[in-house]
């Protein structure tokens, strides 16, 4: 386990530190190969299926990245990341990185894969595995403006529509991840720091959500409704974190959305900004649905789910407490980030 986790860290760090396309590709490949045993550690058919799907999509994306960087080296005669890319390989690279992160319209693997994993591995997949492609995407910006805007708008819409009818919490989180990445991509072509800020705020919010579901050991909206008896204090805090993911003031999740909309309006693309803001409403609906199922139903409710064992948890709750505080109360720091 420690070897795999260290390799996971090494792959991402290698991608961060590299200024050569081949090295960046190698880092992405190492982190993909390191998470695969973690994904299939419970020898469940679903986990194995999810691992296989993940491996195939990531291998395809890595091959595309290698092809794009080789084509770029062939056209421009250099391998340096910080050097301007040629238009054609840059577009190809953008699509490959979008496939790696799970941006719409190449997002179809993400909900399926996340659904087959346990919550801890799902958390790694939703946060840590997004870092390396995200930083590479930041480094190739600004490339093909219309392609980036298309990816961003499609992702925010798909992330909103897709989660509406879901009962599986992991799929809801997958669609939420797609929507958030869409917001980051939209603003990335104008202001990389803002995109990075959105990612930095997205990570503790997602971490808290996954940890809450892990503490309640629930993977469907239905089983979540019994959590009031198991962890009452946590259940009271959960809607704040979920609505922070949805981007409501005065919670931390409002800050990146607010700044991104402001930046898009400054760049004189009000239509894109409006579509993004309206798609945030779609996401907000399913976060509200989860909060409703968890806290707004009358407490001695009759559930048709099996009642879970109320065991004392042995896991440390400090990380969850810290991330919950960050994801609810960071908005007053907005002037400092500006």
């Amino acid at each position: 386990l420690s070897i795999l986790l260290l390799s996971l860290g090494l792959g991402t760090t290698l991608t961060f530190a590299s200024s050569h396309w081949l090295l960046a590709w190698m880092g992405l490949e190492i982190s993909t190969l390191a998470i695969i045993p973690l994904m299939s550690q419970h020898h469940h058919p679903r986990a194995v299926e999810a691992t296989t799907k993940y491996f195939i999509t990531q291998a395809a994306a890595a091959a595309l990245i290698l092809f794009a960087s080789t084509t770029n080296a062939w056209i421009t005669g250099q391998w340096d990341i910080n050097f301007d890319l040629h238009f054609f390989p840059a577009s190809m690279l953008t699509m490959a990185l979008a496939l790696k992160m799970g941006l719409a319209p190449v997002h179809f693997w993400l909900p399926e894969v996340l659904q087959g994993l346990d919550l801890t591995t799902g958390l790694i997949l939703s946060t840590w595995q997004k870092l390396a492609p995200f930083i590479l995407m930041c480094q190739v910006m600004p490339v093909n403006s219309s392609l980036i805007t298309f990816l961003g708008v499609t992702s925010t819409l798909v992330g909103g529509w897709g989660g509406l009818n879901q009962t599986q919490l992991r799929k809801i989180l997958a669609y939420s991840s797609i929507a958030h990445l869409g917001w980051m991509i939209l603003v990335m072509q104008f202001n990389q720091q803002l995109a990075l800020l959105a990612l930095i705020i997205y990570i503790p919010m997602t971490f808290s959500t996954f940890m809450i579901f892990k503490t309640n050991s629930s993977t469907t909206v239905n089983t979540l409704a019994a959590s009031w008896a198991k962890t009452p204090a946590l259940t009271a805090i959960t809607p704040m974190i979920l609505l922070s993911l949805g981007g409501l003031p005065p919670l931390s999740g409002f800050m990146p959305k607010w700044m991104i909309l402001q930046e898009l309006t400054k760049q004189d693309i009000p239509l894109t900004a409006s579509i993004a803001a309206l798609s945030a409403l779609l996401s907000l609906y399913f976060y509200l649905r989860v909060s409703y199922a968890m806290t707004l139903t009358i407490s001695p409710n009759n559930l048709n789910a099996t009642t879970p064992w109320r065991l004392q948890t042995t896991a440390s709750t400090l990380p969850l407490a810290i991330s919950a505080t960050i994801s609810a109360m960071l908005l007053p720091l907005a002037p400092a980030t500006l």
Side-chain angles (χ1 to χ4, degrees):
L1 187 65
S2 52
I3 284 179
L4 291 175
L5 288 173
L6 283 169
S7 310
L8 204 60
L10 170 79
T12 306
T13 320
L14 194 62
T15 308
F16 282 0
S18 61
S19 57
H20 189 289
W21 276 114
L22 203 60
L23 216 57
W25 168 80
M26 214 184 303
L28 289 170
E29 207 61 354
I30 289 171
S31 62
T32 302
L33 289 176
I35 202 175
I36 279 176
L38 293 175
M39 292 167 81
S40 59
Q41 61 185 340
H42 306 285
H43 298 287
H44 191 279
R46 284 211 179 152
V48 175
E49 183 190 349
T51 314
T52 314
K53 284 176 179 170
Y54 182 74
F55 176 71
I56 290 170
T57 48
Q58 297 299 306
L64 258 178
I65 289 171
L66 196 57
F67 179 54
S69 47
T70 317
T71 312
N72 185 59
W74 179 47
I75 295 171
T76 61
Q78 48 75 38
W79 281 92
D80 197 354
I81 287 182
N82 304 317
F83 201 76
D84 279 348
L85 287 161
H86 186 264
F87 178 77
F88 171 64
S91 306
M92 196 157 43
L93 200 69
T94 310
M95 281 315 285
L97 288 168
L99 177 59
K100 262 225 176 297
M101 286 195 284
L103 283 164
V106 282
H107 66 284
F108 293 98
W109 61 273
L110 185 58
E112 297 289 325
V113 167
L114 212 54
Q115 182 53 37
L117 306 180
D118 67 315
L119 290 165
T120 323
T121 321
L123 171 64
I124 297 176
L125 186 70
S126 309
T127 53
W128 186 256
Q129 290 293 81
K130 303 269 189 258
L131 289 173
F134 185 86
I135 298 293
L136 277 182
M137 196 78 122
C138 276
Q139 282 171 316
V140 299
M141 284 294 152
V143 275
N144 183 345
S145 174
S146 49
L147 174 67
I148 295 294
T149 312
F150 169 71
L151 282 173
V153 171
T154 321
S155 298
T156 53
L157 286 171
V158 164
W161 282 125
L164 286 185
N165 214 6
Q166 291 296 340
T167 52
Q168 297 286 344
L169 294 175
R170 285 168 293 188
K171 281 197 176 176
I172 286 183
L173 282 167
Y175 282 112
S176 133
S177 168
I178 294 168
H180 278 271
L181 280 169
W183 279 85
M184 293 170 213
I185 290 295
L186 266 181
V187 78
M188 200 187 272
Q189 46 186 333
F190 308 118
N191 190 339
Q192 278 94 14
Q193 287 81 13
L194 210 49
L196 200 57
L197 170 78
L199 184 70
I200 288 167
I201 297 224
Y202 161 74
I203 286 175
M205 292 195 296
T206 307
F207 178 81
S208 321
T209 319
F210 268 103
M211 278 306 169
I212 287 162
F213 295 161
K214 192 172 169 3
T215 312
N216 288 319
S217 60
S218 54
T219 51
T220 58
V221 174
N222 212 358
T223 49
L224 207 56
S227 59
W228 56 268
K230 199 174 178 184
T231 49
L234 189 59
T235 309
I237 299 169
T238 309
M240 303 229 310
I241 293 161
L242 287 167
L243 294 178
S244 184
L245 267 170
L248 281 192
L251 305 162
S252 319
F254 176 58
M255 172 164 60
K257 282 198 164 58
W258 177 28
M259 293 185 179
I260 287 171
L261 286 176
Q262 191 181 357
E263 182 65 38
L264 292 178
T265 326
K266 272 186 200 163
Q267 298 291 343
D268 204 30
I269 39 173
L271 183 64
T272 311
S274 312
I275 294 172
L278 287 172
S279 69
L281 289 174
L282 291 170
S283 306
L284 187 60
Y285 176 75
F286 60 80
Y287 296 128
L288 271 172
R289 238 183 81 212
V290 177
S291 342
Y292 175 79
M294 207 165 171
T295 55
L296 298 173
T297 39
I298 302 173
S299 51
N301 40 12
N302 302 320
L303 285 185
N304 51 5
T306 42
T307 314
W309 288 100
R310 309 209 191 291
L311 301 170
Q312 281 294 318
T313 63
T314 51
S316 159
T317 48
L318 186 65
L320 176 55
I322 295 170
S323 68
T325 313
I326 289 175
S327 46
M329 300 183 181
L330 228 56
L331 189 66
L333 289 180
T337 54
L338 285 171

